Structures are given as C-alpha cells and as structure tokens.
C-alpha cells in the first residue's frame, strides 16, 4: 500500500541509494538527486545489481525488478524534486551542508510535501529551525544496509505536526514493511544513545588489556545472544562513524559515556577505520 507514490531522495551515497532501493521495492517512484553524476550512476548500478540478485535467488519476479528500476529517475538539480510528496535527505553529516540542502528542497517542493532528514546525530530541532514549514519536517533515521534492516526511527521535534508524524510512521510500517519507532528529538535518538556507550566501553576494556577482541566479542555473542560482538560490530559500522557519533552526542550532552577513547583516536589517525579500510579491531586485508 502506497502512502507516498513518489518520493525524492537527496544524496545517493551509502544511505541514499539504500533508501531509494527500499522505496522502489515498495512500488513507488523515486527521484534521486546528487551533486555528483558519478555517485548517481554508481547508485543506479548498485540498485540494479541488488535487484538482479533478488531475482536470481527467487525473492523477486524479473518483471517486478524491471518495473522497480524503471521507476527510478536520476535528477541533476533540486528542481527535479518538485513533484514528490516526501523528500528524504541523506547528504553528508555536516550541519552547513544539511541546512543548505534542506532550504533548497523546501524552495522547490509543494506546500503539502513532507521533508525528512536521515541524520544520525544532528538535532532535528536545529535543522527544523532553518525551514519555513517546520511542521512538515521530521527525522527519519534508517540503518545500513537499508534494504535488509527492518527498523527506522521517526524523530519528532515539538514543531512537527502530529498527522505528519503519523503519515510517515505508516509509510515506514505499511509501505516499506519496516518497524518504525517514534522518538522525541534527543541526542542519539534511541538506538545510538544505547549502542554507542556500549561500543566505546568495549573499546576501553580492550585498550586497558582486560581481554582480547575475540574474547570480548565471544562474551557478548555467546553470553548475551548478540549476533555480533561490540568490536566486530564497530568495525562493520566504521570506527570513524562510531567516533563521530560519540563526539556529537558528547558535545550535546557532556555525558562521559560518549567520550571517545584515546586508543580509538590513534586507530583513526593510523587509517584503521574498520572493515571498509581493511583493518580495525580485526584484520580484513585478506577478506576485503
Ligand atoms: N552510513 C551509515 O551507516 C549511516 C547510517 C544511518 C544514517 N546515516 C546518515 O546518513 C547521511 C548520509 O550518510 P552516507 O553514509 O550515505 O554518506 P555518503 O558520503 O555515503 O553519501 C552522501 C552523498 O551526498 C552527496 N552530496 C553531498 N553534498 C550534496 C548536496 N549538496 N546535494 C546533494 N547531494 C550531495 C554526496 O555526493 C554523496 O553521494 C548522514 O547524515 C549520515 O549521518 C549514515
């Protein structure tokens, strides 16, 4: 069931392309905008590959996959976002870029359109303040890889209209078949507020020599039934991303649980970003 038949996505990087793919799979049209043509071409190729894989595995019909891809339009200017009823921004986590992009979106969309930000750590209220119609703006925080992750946080500052929140909640639940959790605008929302201190705490244990990375991870996998231990999970998320979120929440709250350990800073300086760089708490040079 389509709550939004046409959705705009701004930024076609890791998150934007995943968000676009999930929406295409729901049968809606997507207009995907990025300032870099190469990123758009890459995004389209990656979506096409993922759809082809689903067909190969018997998870999707070839005719559906072809129709979904057909419903993707790549646009090279914000003006291409004039039509959609919902526009989701997934541009880099830099306040100034987000503010400029959100104002540009608001200038072209219709007065009834809803605008959402996929930010991980910038307060939604701060972004809302930049807009003429903050009542039609909220946070919509997806998880990577979007097509496979079944959760989205719907973040509602006090400026968001109740019916807008409800419409977006239904979009996530009914159209994307993901579980929405509705959360007030607070640093880290629900998931990162709980997850990041846990990851940083595991890193401190490792740095202080309590136990090896393998044993810390085995402890949480086998002792708590987690699918992955905290250090392996940090490597997967990206150590730079974990540090960035820790810093952002620490600067908002002053809570020492979000202080980034020195050992993590040293790893980042040495270029160890986790799985994507080939090394982190584990070595991926032979598996990457
Ligand atoms: N990567 C994750 O695991 C993750 C998870 C949840 C949320 N987020 C959030 O999602 C957002 C995007 O993160 P990402 O990892 O996809 O970043 P990314 O760097 O992979 O992609 C960002 C894209 O935005 C494009 N862009 C830059 N400036 C632009 C502009 N002015 N207009 C249009 N496009 C522009 C870039 O060319 C790039 O393709 C961030 O706010 C991040 O915090 C990321």
């Amino acid at each position: 069931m389509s709550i939004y038949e046409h959705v705009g996505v701004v930024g076609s990087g890791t998150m934007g392309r995943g968000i676009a793919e999930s929406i295409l799979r729901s049968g809606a049209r997507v207009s995907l905008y990025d300032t870099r043509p190469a990123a758009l071409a890459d995004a389209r190729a990656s979506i096409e590959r993922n759809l082809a894989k689903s067909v190969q595995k018997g998870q999707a019909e070839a005719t559906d996959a072809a129709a979904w891809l057909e419903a993707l339009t790549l646009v090279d200017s914000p003006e291409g976002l004039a039509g959609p009823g919902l526009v989701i921004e997934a541009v880099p986590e830099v306040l100034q870029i987000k503010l400029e992009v959100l104002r540009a979106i608001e200038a072209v969309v219709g007065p009834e359109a809803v605008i959402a930000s996929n930010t991980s750590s910038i307060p939604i209220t701060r972004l809302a303040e930049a807009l003429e119609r903050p009542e039609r703006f909220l946070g919509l925080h997806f998880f990577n890889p979007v097509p496979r992750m079944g959760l989205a946080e719907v973040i509602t500052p006090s400026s968001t209209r109740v019916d807008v929140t409800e419409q977006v909640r239904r979009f996530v639940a009914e159209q994307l078949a993901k579980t929405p959790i509705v959360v007030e605008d607070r640093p880290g929302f629900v998931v990162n507020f709980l997850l990041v201190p846990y990851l940083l705490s595991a890193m401190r244990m490792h740095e202080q020599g309590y136990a090896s990375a393998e044993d810390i991870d085995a402890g949480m996998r086998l002792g708590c039934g987690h699918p992955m231990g905290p250090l392996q999970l940090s490597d997967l998320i990206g150590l730079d991303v974990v540090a960035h979120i820790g810093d952002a929440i620490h600067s908002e709250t002053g809570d020492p649980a979000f202080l980034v350990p020195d050992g993590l800073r040293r790893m980042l300086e040495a270029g160890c970003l986790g799985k994507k760089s080939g090394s982190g708490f584990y070595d991926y040079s032979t598996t990457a």
Side-chain angles (χ1 to χ4, degrees):
M1 165 174 188
S2 275
I3 308 291
Y4 297 108
E5 283 173 3
H6 185 187
V7 179
V9 178
V10 185
S12 64
T14 307
M15 294 305 287
R17 64 187 61 181
I19 294 168
E21 182 182 325
S22 293
I23 296 168
L24 290 167
R25 286 174 182 266
S26 79
R29 285 183 294 136
V30 172
S31 294
L32 181 59
Y33 165 55
D34 200 291
T35 42
R36 289 187 308 122
L40 283 173
D42 252 26
R44 191 183 189 284
S46 133
I47 292 171
E48 189 170 5
R49 269 195 311 276
N50 290 345
L51 295 180
K53 265 190 227 157
S54 294
V55 172
Q56 268 165 18
K57 289 184 187 164
Q59 295 163 344
E61 296 293 330
T63 46
D64 286 339
W68 294 336
L69 196 61
E70 184 75 10
L72 173 66
T73 306
L74 304 179
V75 300
D76 59 7
S77 78
E79 283 67 33
L81 301 167
L86 170 68
V87 178
I88 304 168
E89 77 75 15
V91 298
E93 191 74 345
V94 177
L95 179 64
Q96 208 46 44
I97 297 180
K98 298 256 190 223
L99 292 176
E100 279 167 24
V101 164
L102 289 170
R103 287 194 194 107
I105 297 170
E106 192 177 48
V108 297
V109 296
E112 291 303 307
V114 172
I115 303 174
S117 171
N118 185 52
T119 179
S120 300
S121 59
I122 299 174
I124 302 299
T125 308
R126 195 166 304 161
L127 299 174
E129 280 164 7
L131 297 177
E132 303 272 329
R133 298 188 294 276
E135 67 279 6
R136 306 195 65 79
F137 172 71
L138 40 57
L140 184 51
H141 186 224
F142 289 94
F143 292 79
N144 185 28
V146 183
R148 283 197 272 130
M149 297 295 275
L151 179 75
E153 292 176 306
V154 178
I155 303 113
T156 59
S158 54
S159 50
T160 310
R161 245 173 45 198
V162 174
D163 61 310
V164 169
T165 301
E166 178 54 16
Q167 199 175 57
V168 171
R169 197 195 63 74
R170 287 185 55 210
F171 163 69
V172 173
E174 296 169 27
Q175 186 167 340
L176 301 187
K178 297 185 189 293
T179 299
I181 56 175
V182 178
V183 51
E184 279 183 20
D185 187 23
R186 58 173 294 169
F189 315 133
V190 167
V191 173
N192 282 331
F193 188 79
L194 295 175
L195 176 67
V196 171
Y198 159 67
L199 300 180
L200 297 176
S201 178
M203 292 179 199
R204 278 184 216 104
M205 286 182 87
H206 181 254
E207 190 179 340
Q208 289 161 11
Y210 270 48
S212 66
E214 289 80 1
D215 284 358
I216 292 171
D217 280 347
M220 295 309 290
R221 264 198 336 271
L222 303 174
C224 296
H226 291 191
M228 202 179 283
L231 300 176
Q232 192 191 356
L233 178 59
S234 299
D235 274 357
L236 187 69
I237 293 171
L239 300 183
D240 52 336
V241 175
V242 176
H244 183 84
I245 299 174
D247 282 338
I249 302 179
H250 183 258
S251 77
E252 289 289 328
T253 63
D255 184 339
F258 293 93
L259 271 177
V260 171
D262 291 342
L264 175 56
R265 301 247 186 246
R266 285 194 294 274
M267 289 175 80
L268 297 179
E269 279 162 23
C272 298
L273 308 182
K275 196 168 181 189
K276 64 187 169 191
S277 70
S279 75
F281 289 96
Y282 296 93
D283 179 16
Y284 303 92
S285 52
T286 53
T287 53

